[in-house]
Amino acid sequence: PVQLSSGHPALIADNAGVLTAAEAAVLTEKAQKISSAYACDTVVVFVRSLSGYSSIMSYADDYYDYNGYGYNGTKDGVMLLVDVKGREYWISTSGYGIDAFTDAGQLYLKDQFVSYLSSGDWAGAADAFLSGCERFLRQARNGTPYDVGNMPRNSFNLAFLLGDAGLGILLGGLPLRKAKKEMANVQ
């Protein structure tokens, strides 16, 4: 990957050419802030192929290890590797990242970004992954990592719910109004 000025490997490595320069810059800044704040590398890598590897898990783990990622002697970090051509992804963890991103936590985190991947919104997927990582790292540093029985609650927005309900009533009522007009009065 491209080296940062500090000699640290790029936290956003677009080896597939799917991000614009502006997207990569914004995502890099976000990844750097999260990584520095929690002393845990937070990495997103896009590749076009698995370069001869038979599994994305092996490729991701080796990519993390051989490219110099990780904080401290325990190489603390988390990485999302996306094979854009094969339409696969893998979350690889190391050191403290293993504690902060449990198996159950990774499943939850996947739900935050996989819809972006499905629609080809690579920057959106990376941003959602980074936001989820920040949330998970904050929780883990507070003493209780997210895990089975302790997952983030989705925020409930009453105004949004009422707006959706009102829109549903409005849209649902239009066909009924038309049908009522078309009915003949029977006496």
Side-chain angles (χ1 to χ4, degrees), residues 9-10 20 27 72 86 90 106 128 141 149 152:
T20 67
L27 292 168
N72 307 315
W90 188 261
Q106 287 183 43
R141 291 289 185 208

Side-chain angles (χ1 to χ4, degrees), residues 42-44 78-80 91 109 113 124-133:
T42 307
V43 182
V44 179
V78 59
M79 179 181 73
L80 170 64
I91 298 173
L109 188 57
F113 66 82
D127 186 58
F129 174 76
L130 293 172
S131 294
C133 286

Side-chain angles (χ1 to χ4, degrees), residues 1-11 35 41-43 67-71:
V2 177
Q3 297 291 312
L4 301 176
S5 59
S6 66
H8 196 72
L11 296 175
S35 298
D41 268 352
T42 307
V43 182
N67 283 284
Y69 291 108
Y71 268 77

